[in-house]
Each structure stands twice: as structure tokens, then as C-alpha cells.
Amino acid sequence: MNDRRTSLLAAVALLTMTASWGSTFFLIKDLLDRVPTVDFLAVRFLVAGAAMLLVAPRAIARLSPETRRRALLLGGVYGVAQILQTSGLAHTPASVSGFITGLYVVATPIIAAWLLRTRINALTWAAVALATAGLGVLTLDGFSIGYGEAITLVAAILYACHIVGLGAWSTPSDALGMSILQVLVIAAICLVAALTTGAPGVVLPERGSDWVSVVYMALVAGAAAMLAQTWAQAHLPPTRCAIIMSMEPVFAAFFAVLLGGESITGRMVVGGSMVLAAMVAVEVLPRRRIEAEVTHLVV
């Protein structure tokens, strides 16, 4: 029962994290009209890192050297993905960006198969084909893919690498320290990018409402989300994590239409449904099949 409660709590934490991620797409798109991409990311993750260090200043010191190296690598991958995703959002509608970013759920089993040498079944290949077709409906203009969509897709692949690595290396006891170190690495990468591109120094938000958005994205969709993901992936199998996290594009589209002022289009509905169906199919159907087989054996 205790394991079940822990599993349920981890699932709720992942779902809450996914909702917070989905809620940021239209906020970021609005903020990028006034603050450069890398400057926004630097401020966001510096605030998140500072808050986490204030709460748990000794967490990183308790990590083993090997765990620190792994957290540094994961933070680097995530930091580059953040820059690419946020840069792509400046050229892509929030709902479309959310769906493309959600392709990491499809990419994750493929990358895991490549790195961990697991076999990809026919269902997974079918889901990949469906997701690719859905992406085409969402983003293709003739036979070309726009700049924003392309770099967002690269970000999705990097997120998949992060999920695979985090699933392999995260443990409950190291979750807090790994989360803090990852956030600090992300902040450092974004700060260097901000200082070496654009105007001298870091451009800060000027409006009070912009600072509210930044603080929300730093503490809720940044620090808390990273901790929730790192901790939850130490308790849940990758399949279940992928199912829950596939809700991100749904939340992104929901918030973009409800609060971001975007209109629902036929391409958004059709393409988004295809991508979402692929993400759910690649994780839910194999899980149901296995659970059915286990139930049959028990009975």
C-alpha cells in the first residue's frame, strides 16, 4: 500500500508539473515581445536556482562525484533544449510549439532503444509515422518546415535525451541535489548566452506583470517542476511517466486558447490530435497489453 501511495503521489506530481509547463507557452510568447529569449531564460533559472539553494544549501554536497557529473550533463542537455524551444516559440504559435515539444514522448522510446539497446516494436514505428504526419499537418508550408518549428523539434529530441538519462540515473535520495545542480547548470548556460549575444548585459523585464510571469515560471514551472520530474522518475516506470507527460501539449493548447487569445483551427485540431494519439498509443497500448497478460497469469 505504501508503494501504491508513493506511486500515486509521483503521478500527481508529474501531472501537476506537466500542467505548469503547458501553462507557460502563451506566457513566454507574450514576454518575448519585450525581453530577449536568452535573457529571459537566464533570469528565470537564476531565480529558480537561487530559491532552491536557499531552501536546501547542502543538497549538492551530499551527491557523489559520479552523480554530480551526471547532473551536470543532464543540466547541459536541458539548458540547450530550453534555449532552442524558447527561441522557436518566438516564431511559432504557442499551441503549435506545445504539440511539437510534446514529440519528446514519441522520441523517448526511440532514443532509449538506441542507447539501451531495446527492441522497437511495430506499434512504436506506427506511432512515430503518425506523429510525423501530424507534425506535417501542424507545421508544413508546402514542402518546407519553418525555422521555429524546426528548432523546436530539435529541442524535443534533446528533452527526450534528458528523460532517458534522468530515468536511468535518478534516485529518490539524490533527487533534490540533482534538481538543484541541473537548474544551476541551465542558468549558467543561459547567462553565458545572454552575455555573449545581443545587447551588453542582461535585459531585465520592466513591467510588474512580466516579473510576476518570470517568478511563476522560475519557481513553479522551473524549480518545482524539475524537482517533481527528477523525484517522480525515480519512482515511476518510464512508460507511465511518458503517458502522464504526454498531457503537456493538451495543456499548452488549452491555456493558449483559453488565456492566450489564440483561435482553434482545423489544422490545429487534426494535426494536434494525430500527434497526441501517437504519443498516447506508443505508451498506453503496450502497457494495457502487459497489464492484461499479467492479470491473465494471476487469474
Side-chain angles (χ1 to χ4, degrees):
M1 181 63 69
N2 186 48
D3 289 341
R4 290 184 179 181
R5 289 177 179 174
T6 301
S7 178
L8 177 60
L9 181 60
V12 171
L14 264 186
L15 184 61
T16 303
M17 172 210 75
T18 302
S20 73
W21 281 356
S23 71
T24 64
F25 283 93
F26 80 94
L27 292 175
I28 294 173
K29 188 169 181 62
D30 175 67
L31 188 61
L32 293 183
D33 291 335
R34 296 174 294 279
V35 181
T37 298
V38 290
D39 299 67
F40 152 70
L41 289 174
V43 174
R44 174 184 176 182
F45 285 101
L46 283 171
V47 172
M52 296 178 84
L53 280 177
L54 184 63
V55 172
R58 297 183 179 86
I60 295 177
R62 290 194 289 267
L63 299 176
S64 67
E66 180 64 22
T67 302
R68 288 177 198 162
R69 286 192 291 270
R70 291 172 173 176
L72 287 171
L73 176 60
L74 291 172
V77 171
Y78 196 96
V80 174
Q82 276 283 297
I83 292 176
L84 291 176
Q85 180 195 354
T86 310
S87 298
L89 187 55
H91 304 278
T92 309
S95 54
V96 174
S97 176
F99 279 116
I100 298 174
T101 303
L103 279 173
Y104 62 70
V105 181
V106 178
T108 296
I110 299 175
I111 295 173
W114 175 50
L115 294 178
L116 305 179
R117 299 291 189 265
T118 56
R119 186 176 63 87
I120 301 177
N121 58 35
L123 175 62
T124 301
W125 284 119
V128 170
L130 179 60
T132 303
L135 177 60
V137 173
L138 278 170
T139 63
L140 285 179
D141 182 12
F143 291 99
S144 63
I145 296 179
Y147 170 77
E149 290 82 5
I151 62 175
T152 303
L153 183 58
V154 174
I157 294 172
L158 291 178
Y159 283 135
C161 294
H162 180 265
I163 291 170
V164 172
L166 196 58
W169 294 334
S170 176
T171 64
S173 60
D174 292 334
L176 181 57
M178 287 187 70
S179 300
I180 296 174
L181 189 51
Q182 286 179 87
V183 169
L184 292 177
V185 172
I186 297 167
I189 290 174
C190 296
L191 181 60
V192 170
L195 293 176
T196 55
T197 60
V202 177
V203 177
L204 300 176
E206 296 181 355
R207 300 181 182 180
S209 59
D210 288 347
W211 273 109
V212 171
S213 295
V214 169
V215 171
Y216 166 74
M217 287 184 279
L219 300 184
V220 178
M226 179 63 73
L227 178 58
Q229 182 185 2
T230 304
W231 178 79
Q233 285 203 242
H235 291 282
L236 295 176
T239 297
R240 189 172 176 184
C241 290
I243 294 171
I244 296 170
M245 293 169 70
S246 71
M247 287 296 296
E248 182 182 7
V250 179
F251 283 121
F254 172 77
F255 285 113
V257 172
L258 182 66
L259 302 176
E262 291 195 21
S263 300
I264 299 178
T265 65
R267 289 183 60 175
M268 182 189 301
V269 173
V270 175
S273 297
M274 292 169 68
V275 174
L276 185 58
M279 289 188 292
V280 172
V282 79
E283 300 297 349
V284 173
L285 295 183
R287 178 179 175 82
R288 286 182 176 176
R289 185 179 303 157
I290 292 171
E291 289 177 347
E293 290 174 355
V294 171
T295 302
H296 176 72
L297 290 174
V298 171
V299 174

